[in-house]
Amino acid sequence: MTFSKMLAVLTALVVAMAWASSASAVKYLSLGDAVKKFLPADAKVLKVTKVPSADDRRRLLDDYGWEATEPEYVAFKGVDKADETKALGYVFVVPEIFNTCFHKYAVGVAPDGKILESVIIELTCPRSFPINKKAFLKQFKDKTHADPLTTRVDIDGITGASLSSEAASTAARKAVSLHNVFFGGNAKVVVDEKVKAGRAAGAAKIKKAIETGETLKKAGKDGAAQLPPEEGESAK
């Protein structure tokens, strides 16, 4: 093969790979638009970085069922321009990743800790696309850190996208728990055993998908965002 032909083949491969990558990822909102969506137009937007203490990390795991592994967390805080001590709202951008599946959510939270709305910024798994529906996402409105926020208890998942449904629920739970710990007075919450078990079961299914490579075994229109239900368990 001549050099020119080899170059042409390599160029074609690069173009094909780039097309495949862009075709599998759908970006719904830019970060800037996501922040603007939840904060008043006249608000001053502050980017706030918080570093959880060891106690914060233990609490996020024990009370909210997720492990805070990042060294720091970022929130966008809208404040009154005339009085920066007056918070007008918060936006948390939360990624959820398992193998080839990448989700990114923007969760708007009111000063009192209630979710205004959860919107999707980006999805890469074709089978996760059904979660970007108002009928599913509207379930998160008005939820707080005291709610279970898992498909095993208070959120109805979507058939065929059960892992993605749980990932969306976890993202919302992360947002309201971070709000409570860092901005909401760190109010205590009592978590009953049913909620703990539901959250643990949802997290275990995502972990299993990662460890078994289940999400890597499907591609194209069959791109994975779920595992089959366990025996005796109905899919949501």
Side-chain angles (χ1 to χ4, degrees):
M1 181 182 290
T2 65
F3 176 77
S4 59
K5 287 184 177 180
M6 184 180 296
L7 182 60
V9 170
L10 288 173
T11 301
L13 285 172
V14 170
V15 171
M17 290 172 66
W19 181 88
S21 175
S22 61
S24 62
V26 176
K27 293 185 178 180
Y28 297 94
L29 280 176
S30 68
L31 176 59
D33 287 340
V35 171
K36 290 177 183 177
K37 180 177 179 66
F38 296 114
L39 301 178
D42 59 348
K44 180 177 180 178
V45 180
L46 306 176
K47 183 178 180 181
V48 182
T49 300
K50 295 288 188 179
V51 178
S53 66
D55 285 341
D56 292 335
R57 294 179 192 277
R58 278 194 294 271
R59 181 153 189 234
L60 291 168
L61 180 59
D62 293 343
D63 289 353
Y64 301 108
W66 66 279
E67 187 174 3
T69 57
E70 297 298 321
E72 60 187 30
Y73 291 86
V74 173
F76 296 90
K77 180 181 180 181
V79 298
D80 190 319
K81 289 181 179 179
D83 180 5
E84 292 191 14
T85 64
K86 183 179 180 181
L88 303 176
Y90 302 83
V91 181
F92 296 85
V93 177
V94 186
E96 290 293 322
I97 305 168
F98 40 101
N99 289 342
T100 56
C101 292
F102 176 78
H103 299 188
K104 185 183 287 185
Y105 305 87
V107 184
V109 180
D112 64 0
K114 291 183 179 179
I115 292 178
L116 299 169
E117 189 179 355
S118 180
V119 298
I120 294 171
I121 294 178
E122 184 176 351
L123 294 174
T124 61
C125 283
R127 288 184 68 181
S128 69
F129 294 168
I131 68 171
N132 191 34
K133 293 181 178 179
K134 289 183 179 180
F136 173 72
L137 295 172
K138 72 179 183 181
Q139 297 180 87
F140 299 111
K141 182 175 174 56
D142 292 333
K143 296 285 189 181
T144 73
H145 76 100
D147 288 299
L149 285 166
T150 171
T151 56
R152 301 308 181 97
V153 181
D154 62 334
I155 300 297
D156 291 327
I158 294 179
T159 300
S162 56
L163 285 190
S164 294
S165 300
E166 184 64 22
S169 304
T170 303
R173 192 184 336 134
K174 287 180 178 180
V176 289
S177 58
L178 288 171
H179 173 272
N180 179 50
V181 169
F182 294 131
F183 306 105
N186 207 9
K188 301 300 180 183
V189 62
V190 177
V191 185
D192 68 33
E193 293 305 314
K194 179 182 177 181
V195 171
K196 287 184 179 180
R199 289 172 174 173
K205 290 203 77 171
I206 291 178
K207 182 179 179 182
K208 181 178 178 181
I210 295 172
E211 291 177 345
T212 62
E214 177 70 17
T215 58
L216 295 174
K217 295 176 183 176
K218 302 184 178 107
K221 66 180 180 180
D222 295 321
Q226 70 162 13
L227 282 172
E230 302 290 348
E231 185 176 351
E233 174 192 359
S234 60
K236 285 194 172 186

